[in-house]
Amino acid sequence: MDTLRTYLAREIYGATLFVFAAFLSLFAFFDLINELTDLGKGEYRLQHALAFVALSVPGHVYELFPVAVLIGTLYALSHLAANSEYTVMRGSGLAPWRATSTLFRIGIVFAVATLVFGELITPVSERAAKQLKLSMTSSIVAREFHTGLWVKDDRRFVNVREVQPDASLTDVRVFEFDDQYRLKSISFAKRGQYVGKNVWRLREVVHTGFGSTESSVERLAEMDWSSVMTPDILAVLFIAPERMSAWNLYQYSRHLADNRQKTERYEIAM
């Protein structure tokens, strides 16, 4: 019986890996063709395009693996049936429930592999691919917005002119309001870098505070700014929701919900 299970698993694994390799090669080829149109932009060269395609492969693994498993399994089982091998297996004592149990065990392996790629590998590789291309083409993530990126953070509205590929910020404006939503202060910083534990270090800061009767201006070389905004939240600028991990989707959906913003797209992806 163990011999039959091993043979069945080998047939399914072999057919699935063959179909999967064909799909993956085809999609990687299409990605490379698409990247060739960007060669010459900034410092983007062929080796960078190849690295970008390689870093995009885990995303395709996550998308294509279930389809490859379905096609490979159907092919293997139909091939066994066409050659009467399954009939021989039944005659050798392979009960239907044992065959189902074997298929379930094989499926668990595929499911775990898909989970690992989808939750652990794809978000990291996808972000690395986007960062590589952005840095080589000298592109800025928030360039498409006329006034930069806007984020609502409790009673603060944050405007970032540019988000760099390493998630550092350029030209940051923080508008802080009191509990009556009266403007309390405006902080402008040339640069911002995440230092951990929900803290950003702003540099070359001009802080303007507004009192009931007067205002004050203070210039600081550095200022620490606590915010719920983290590089993981900024990762939504690099990664499509469908490629994000479930944990990052959950965090960002909570962030949007806490600030009374639309969450449907990220909840559906999660």
Side-chain angles (χ1 to χ4, degrees):
M1 199 59 65
D2 290 337
T3 301
L4 291 178
R5 292 198 193 97
T6 302
Y7 179 70
L8 187 60
R10 187 178 64 194
E11 290 294 310
I12 292 176
Y13 285 141
T16 297
L17 291 177
F18 177 79
V19 173
F20 179 64
F23 275 153
L24 203 58
S25 301
L26 186 63
F27 275 72
F29 176 73
F30 287 151
D31 283 347
L32 181 59
I33 295 298
N34 185 59
E35 290 305 306
L36 293 179
T37 60
D38 292 329
L39 293 183
K41 291 183 180 179
E43 300 179 1
Y44 198 59
R45 301 292 183 264
L46 180 60
Q47 63 268 28
H48 303 129
L50 292 172
F52 178 86
V53 171
L55 289 170
S56 301
V57 165
H60 291 315
V61 171
Y62 181 60
E63 294 173 343
L64 297 174
F65 207 44
V67 179
V69 169
L70 175 63
I71 296 175
T73 303
L74 289 177
Y75 172 79
L77 295 179
S78 61
H79 182 72
L80 293 175
N83 294 334
S84 300
E85 292 180 73
Y86 184 67
T87 303
V88 174
M89 291 180 185
R90 289 294 308 277
S92 301
L94 181 65
W97 69 269
R98 289 188 179 274
T100 303
S101 175
T102 301
L103 291 176
F104 181 76
R105 292 177 184 178
I106 296 171
I108 286 294
V109 175
F110 290 136
V112 170
T114 305
L115 180 66
V116 169
F117 271 92
E119 293 299 310
L120 302 179
I121 300 177
T122 296
V124 175
S125 66
E126 191 74 12
R127 183 173 182 178
K130 297 294 185 182
Q131 288 177 332
L132 171 67
K133 187 169 183 178
L134 286 169
S135 60
M136 290 298 105
T137 58
S138 301
S139 297
I140 302 299
V141 175
R143 180 176 286 174
E144 64 268 26
F145 300 105
H146 294 297
T147 57
L149 172 70
W150 285 90
V151 177
K152 185 175 182 293
D153 180 7
D154 195 20
R155 294 194 180 96
R156 287 170 293 196
F157 289 86
V158 184
N159 174 228
V160 180
R161 176 63 64 177
E162 296 174 351
V163 180
Q164 303 294 343
D166 62 353
S168 61
L169 311 178
T170 304
D171 290 346
V172 184
R173 291 177 175 85
V174 181
F175 301 85
E176 187 172 0
F177 295 81
D178 60 18
D179 54 2
Q180 300 298 318
Y181 288 96
R182 292 182 295 238
L183 186 60
K184 183 178 178 181
S185 67
I186 300 175
S187 298
F188 171 77
K190 283 290 186 181
R191 297 183 304 278
Q193 190 75 39
Y194 189 71
V195 296
K197 296 183 179 180
N198 293 93
V199 175
W200 293 83
R201 182 152 295 156
L202 305 181
R203 293 182 171 85
E204 299 182 54
V205 182
V206 178
H207 178 78
T208 304
F210 299 98
S212 57
T213 58
E214 60 182 12
S215 61
S216 61
V217 179
E218 187 178 8
R219 297 180 183 274
L220 304 169
E222 288 185 354
M223 183 179 78
D224 286 347
W225 164 48
S226 297
S227 172
V228 297
M229 187 173 69
T230 65
D232 286 337
I233 289 178
L234 290 176
V236 299
L237 298 172
F238 299 100
I239 308 175
E242 293 74 17
R243 300 288 182 88
M244 294 170 63
S245 68
W247 176 244
N248 283 341
L249 284 169
Y250 172 71
Q251 284 186 311
Y252 193 63
S253 297
R254 275 184 44 184
H255 169 73
L256 293 178
D258 291 343
N259 289 282
R260 299 181 181 179
Q261 295 175 284
K262 292 183 178 180
T263 62
E264 287 84 357
R265 182 185 179 190
Y266 300 95
E267 289 175 344
I268 291 172
M270 183 170 64

